[in-house]
């Protein structure tokens, strides 16, 4: 019997050596024989099961689930029916990554835009290379004259010219299209002449209060750049894709995740309109990865206890996972709510500036309690220690204790104090950290809050030492959806200028991987479903060109590449 199966396996191995035939063969097998499986072997297979690295020789998938993880010699005893063998050829396999916090709807919209950021976010180095990228995008997407071209992510400080782009830079290449280049801060953008005309911004346009309109020197003629209150109305007026168009963008949005090894994406603050869009996409079978949506507190009256929006279970890969509160802004924008004043004045020169909170403490506590009593998991965006204290207050007030296993999540938890972590343990709070900040804005934080406070940003080591389960996110599209960059920032904590921010908080590669697999699985109550490789869990895998646990130079972590991403046994991305 075994011999016959092995022969069959060999036949299949021969068939799948041709890339195109593999999917054909696999789908044919699953149609004809429910007892068909895939055997993975021949490389490092990290299970992420347990507190120290564990390897197995072989993994078998059947019907989207893991039916075996262990020695290769014993694996054959688990064969029944047909088996496709996949030789990893020395590559590394581990559970695919689980995004703890990002904004999936941004990925949907960004599928219609082009990345014109500089390294590490993108590859634009100067204005000519940006123009070239925009031209290529126009051609590839078949964008016609008169239509919009939107690019995102430019940072004037990272361009060789060290200046903002102007409409003159854009007009030469795009005389007949409306062009908008969104600034990396998302608080401004540069428009070309056609777009300025559309926005009705000309020499007679008065700069609104709290806004910035760049003008050509010595004239009143707009130069292209609009910021803050001058940019917002333009941004809000931009044509949005229709729901039908959105449906067609769902695949491209998911590809951004799977090409980075993620098979679970979070929609980090979902409006009712988008909840309906996601529901339609799920119903139409458009999701091939899991989407966890966090409906916003501000529309709670529309979704709480509404049978249209059941919480906590997947339906066609879509789950409404928890209620989301946004308590403050961002520390680099001086809008994170701090317990003590910033070292610098506020955005408008305010003294003793502590930032803003968006919900008064008592109101927050009331809303959180309502969600908890309706069995909705609560999740708080809190960056500053003031906002974190408000979240702790609301959790405590809702009567939650660690033993209740309610897993309230504090998203970002960036500028927290050591004493907060004791409360996290007591109340069972799990933080999802954001170590990418150390690189992107670490130097800004040192200036804004001082070196000592900045050094304790996203204290992963301190939290892990207390046994707190943590995760680490990109907040995409705030930073790049790249798990290896996330790993690197948590293992090195180096700022753009090369300073190490809180060297005592660096974690090792295994802990960094936990924060992308088992950590987020726990936070979404899915540790018995995904995040590690063991019998009974989903066959969600990522195959890497290098084993992150065997990389000696921390900087080389950034260079690891995803070779293949597998969701429930099906290959969803292949390099
Ligand atoms: Zn976010």
């Amino acid at each position: 019997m075994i011999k016959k199966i092995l022969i069959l396996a060999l036949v299949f191995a021969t068939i799948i050596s041709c890339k195109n035939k593999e999917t054909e063969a696999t789908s044919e097998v699953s149609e004809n024989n429910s007892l068909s499986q895939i055997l993975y072997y021949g490389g490092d297979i990290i299970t992420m099961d347990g507190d120290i690295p564990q390897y197995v020789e072989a993994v078998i998938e059947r019907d989207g689930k893991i039916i075996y993880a262990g020695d290769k010699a014993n694996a054959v005893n688990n064969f029944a029916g047909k088996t496709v063998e996949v030789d990893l050829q020395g590559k590394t396999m581990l559970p695919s990554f689980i995004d703890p916090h990002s904004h999936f709807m941004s990925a949907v919209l960004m599928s219609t835009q082009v990345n014109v950021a500089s390294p590490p976010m993108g590859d634009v180095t100067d204005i000519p290379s940006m123009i070239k990228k925009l031209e290529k995008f126009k051609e590839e997407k078949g964008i016609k004259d008169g239509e919009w071209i939107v690019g995102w992510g430019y940072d004037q400080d990272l361009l060789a010219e060290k200046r903002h782009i102007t409409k003159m830079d854009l007009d030469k290449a795009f005389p007949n299209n409306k062009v908008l280049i969104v600034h990396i801060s998302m608080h401004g953008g540069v428009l070309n002449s056609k777009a300025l005309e559309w926005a009705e911004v000309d020499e007679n346009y008065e700069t609104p209060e709290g806004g910035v309109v760049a003008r050509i020197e010595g004239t009143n003629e707009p130069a292209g750049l609009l910021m803050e209150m001058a940019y917002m109305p333009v941004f809000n007026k931009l044509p949005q894709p229709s729901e039908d168009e959105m449906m067609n963008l769902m695949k491209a949005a998911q590809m951004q995740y799977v090409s980075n090894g993620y098979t679970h994406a979070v929609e980090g603050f979902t409006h009712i309109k988008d909840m309906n869009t996601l529901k339609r996409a799920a119903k139409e079978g458009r999701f091939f990865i899991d989407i966890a949506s966090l409906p916003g507190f501000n529309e709670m009256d529309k979704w709480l206890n509404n049978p249209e929006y059941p919480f906590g279970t997947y339906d066609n890969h879509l789950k409404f996972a928890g209620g989301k509160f946004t308590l403050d802004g961002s520390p680099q924008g001086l809008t994170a709510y701090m317990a003590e004043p910033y070292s610098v004045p506020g955005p408008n020169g305010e003294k003793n500036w502590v930032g803003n909170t968006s919900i008064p403490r008592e109101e927050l506590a009331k809303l959180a309690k309502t969600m908890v009593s309706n069995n909705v998991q609560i999740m708080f965006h809190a960056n500053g220690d003031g906002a974190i204290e408000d979240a702790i207050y609301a959790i405590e007030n809702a009567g939650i204790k660690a033993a209740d296993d309610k897993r309230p999540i504090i998203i970002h938890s960036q500028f927290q104090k050591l004493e907060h972590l004791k409360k996290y343990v007591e109340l069972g709070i799990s933080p999802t950290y954001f170590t990418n900040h150390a690189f992107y804005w670490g130097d800004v934080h040192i200036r804004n809050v001082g070196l000592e406070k900045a050094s304790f940003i996203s204290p992963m080591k301190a939290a892990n030492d207390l046994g707190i389960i943590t995760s680490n996110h990109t907040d995409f599209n705030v930073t790049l959806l790249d798990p290896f960059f996330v790993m690197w920032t948590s293992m090195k904590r180096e700022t753009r200028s090369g300073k190490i921010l809180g060297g005592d908080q660096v974690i090792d590669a295994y802990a960094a991987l936990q924060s992308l697999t088992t950590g987020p699985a726990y936070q979404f109550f899915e540790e018995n479903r995904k995040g590690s490789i063991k019998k009974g869990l989903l066959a969600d895998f990522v195959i890497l060109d290098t084993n992150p646990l065997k990389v000696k130079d921390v900087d080389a972590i950034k260079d690891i590449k995803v070779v293949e991403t597998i969701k429930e046994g099906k290959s969803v991305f292949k390099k």
Side-chain angles (χ1 to χ4, degrees):
M1 179 67 184
I2 287 172
K3 198 175 167 195
K4 197 176 163 192
I5 290 158
L6 282 176
I7 290 167
L8 267 174
L10 273 173
V11 170
F12 271 92
T14 323
I15 291 171
I16 63 160
S17 59
C18 170
K19 198 181 154 194
N20 289 332
K21 278 184 184 164
E22 182 183 4
T23 26
E24 262 174 49
T26 314
S27 59
E28 207 177 271
V29 166
S30 48
E31 271 165 29
N32 295 344
N33 190 340
S34 62
L35 291 183
S36 70
Q37 52 257 312
I38 303 174
L39 165 70
Y40 298 92
Y41 71 98
D44 286 349
I45 302 176
I46 311 169
T47 65
M48 299 309 297
D49 185 17
D51 286 334
I52 50 162
Q54 308 237 21
Y55 292 89
V56 287
E57 281 179 347
V59 170
I60 302 176
E61 174 274 343
R62 183 192 289 164
D63 291 336
K65 287 193 169 165
I66 298 163
I67 59 160
Y68 176 84
D71 298 343
K72 180 140 190 284
N74 288 325
V76 288
N77 299 329
N78 288 275
F79 286 174
K82 295 168 182 172
T83 299
V84 174
E85 290 198 20
V86 175
D87 183 350
L88 295 169
Q89 296 178 317
K91 296 182 192 84
T92 299
M93 185 164 109
L94 61 155
S96 52
F97 301 123
I98 299 174
D99 158 42
H101 179 74
S102 71
H103 295 270
F104 178 74
M105 289 310 289
S106 298
V108 175
L109 293 177
M110 280 170 73
S111 307
T112 62
Q113 304 171 358
V114 54
N115 173 350
V116 291
S118 300
M121 287 280 271
D123 54 10
V124 162
T125 51
D126 53 15
I127 293 171
S129 68
M130 180 187 302
I131 301 286
K132 239 184 230 144
K133 200 145 184 211
L134 291 164
E135 283 173 330
K136 197 170 154 234
F137 178 74
K138 180 182 172 178
E139 199 189 306
E140 277 172 8
K141 295 273 172 179
I143 298 171
K144 296 183 194 75
D145 280 353
E147 293 179 349
W148 276 95
I149 299 170
V150 181
W152 61 270
Y154 96 92
D155 183 343
Q156 73 283 2
D157 291 330
L158 301 180
L159 295 173
E161 293 85 353
K162 302 270 175 221
R163 66 163 173 86
H164 283 285
I165 313 155
T166 66
K167 65 176 181 184
M168 289 76 85
D169 296 320
L170 299 169
D171 283 348
K172 265 176 266 161
F174 307 101
N176 302 317
N177 288 94
K178 297 185 274 285
V179 182
L180 165 67
I181 310 295
V182 182
H183 188 254
I184 183 80
S185 67
M186 315 284 283
H187 288 236
V190 177
L191 287 78
N192 73 342
S193 290
K194 279 267 180 226
L196 285 166
E197 203 178 292
W198 166 88
E200 298 175 337
V201 175
D202 58 18
E203 66 275 14
N204 300 318
Y205 177 78
E206 265 181 54
T207 305
E209 199 182 326
V212 176
V213 178
R215 314 264 178 184
I216 293 171
E217 223 182 310
T219 76
N220 214 25
E221 194 185 329
L225 177 70
L226 306 177
M227 298 224 35
E228 306 295 349
M229 293 316 286
Y231 171 68
M232 279 341 222
V234 171
F235 176 76
N236 291 334
K237 208 174 106 178
L238 276 180
Q240 296 293 316
S242 67
E243 201 180 83
D244 286 340
E245 284 165 334
M246 294 260 232
M247 290 302 124
N248 293 324
L249 298 171
M250 290 296 166
K251 186 178 177 195
Q254 291 170 88
M255 287 313 291
Q256 295 180 50
Y257 286 84
V258 295
S259 63
N260 283 294
Y262 290 97
T263 57
H264 168 117
V266 174
E267 182 358 76
F269 190 103
T270 319
H271 302 281
I272 278 281
K273 190 172 149 277
D274 292 337
M275 289 172 79
N276 294 331
T277 304
L278 292 171
K279 270 190 67 166
R280 178 178 158 190
K283 202 172 164 204
E284 292 179 7
R286 292 180 187 271
F287 293 135
F288 51 88
I289 64 172
D290 291 338
I291 311 288
S293 154
L294 314 184
F297 74 97
N298 54 330
E299 291 176 306
M300 192 168 111
D301 57 324
K302 297 197 179 79
W303 52 256
L304 192 73
N305 280 329
N306 182 340
E308 283 283 305
Y309 311 107
F311 273 66
T313 47
Y314 281 101
D315 183 10
N316 280 316
H317 288 295
L318 172 68
K319 165 168 108 168
F320 296 116
K324 168 78 181 285
F325 294 96
T326 302
L327 304 191
D328 64 350
S330 75
Q332 69 275 24
L334 297 171
T335 47
Y337 175 46
M338 297 292 188
E340 291 92 28
Y342 286 89
S343 318
V344 293
N348 298 308
E350 297 93 337
K351 280 189 188 136
N352 293 320
W353 177 250
V354 293
N356 323 84
T357 174
S358 40
I359 318 167
R361 186 180 266 211
E362 292 304 332
E363 193 187 325
L364 170 70
K366 213 176 114 204
L367 293 169
K369 199 169 183 171
T370 307
M371 278 192 204
V372 172
S373 57
N374 285 286
N375 284 320
V376 171
Q377 190 183 2
I378 42 176
M379 309 202 176
F380 305 84
H381 159 122
N383 271 312
D385 41 13
I388 290 166
E389 276 160 23
D390 281 355
I392 292 172
Y393 177 82
I395 293 162
E396 205 159 22
N397 187 75
I400 293 177
K401 289 263 181 298
D404 301 330
D405 201 25
K406 296 277 188 195
R407 307 184 194 178
I409 309 295
I410 300 189
I411 300 165
H412 308 319
S413 276
Q414 292 209 82
F415 286 105
Q416 65 178 165
K417 296 178 174 136
L418 184 58
E419 71 216 44
H420 295 153
L421 288 175
K422 288 180 197 128
K423 279 282 174 196
Y424 281 34
V425 173
E426 194 186 312
L427 306 177
I429 300 170
S430 187
T432 176
Y433 287 123
F434 194 2
T435 58
N436 277 2
H437 256 258
F439 173 79
Y440 282 97
W441 298 284
D443 297 309
V444 179
H445 296 328
I446 295 171
R447 195 175 67 222
N448 285 354
V449 300
L451 181 64
E452 194 189 337
K453 189 162 181 168
S455 297
F456 203 63
I457 189 169
S458 287
M460 290 200 77
K461 180 77 167 68
N464 289 350
D465 284 350
L466 287 168
I468 296 168
I469 297 176
T470 61
S471 69
N472 199 1
H473 63 257
T474 61
D475 204 10
F476 181 74
N477 58 0
V478 177
T479 72
L480 205 62
L481 199 58
D482 176 347
F484 309 109
F485 199 77
V486 172
M487 285 186 75
W488 175 75
T489 56
S490 66
M491 293 167 69
K492 184 109 187 233
R493 297 174 68 100
E494 187 175 304
T495 72
R496 264 188 211 274
S497 73
K499 291 187 189 81
I500 300 298
L501 199 60
D504 57 341
Q505 292 302 322
V506 299
I507 54 171
D508 63 24
Y510 189 69
L513 283 174
Q514 284 178 309
S515 75
L516 291 165
T517 53
T518 48
Y522 167 86
Q523 293 180 334
F524 287 96
F525 286 92
E526 293 190 51
E527 70 272 27
N528 294 321
R529 198 167 175 266
K530 55 171 86 145
S532 55
I533 295 181
K534 58 182 174 186
K535 194 178 166 179
L537 269 61
L538 294 180
D540 293 355
F541 310 125
V542 63
I543 299 171
L544 309 178
D545 66 349
T546 309
N547 181 345
L549 303 180
K550 292 182 178 170
V551 171
K552 293 215 167 62
D553 172 15
V554 172
D555 289 333
I557 287 280
K558 285 186 287 189
D559 305 327
I560 299 174
K561 297 270 179 297
V562 170
V563 178
E564 187 172 2
T565 306
I566 295 152
K567 173 69 181 143
E568 291 170 44
K570 291 198 174 63
S571 180
V572 287
F573 169 79
K574 213 165 193 177
K575 213 177 161 60

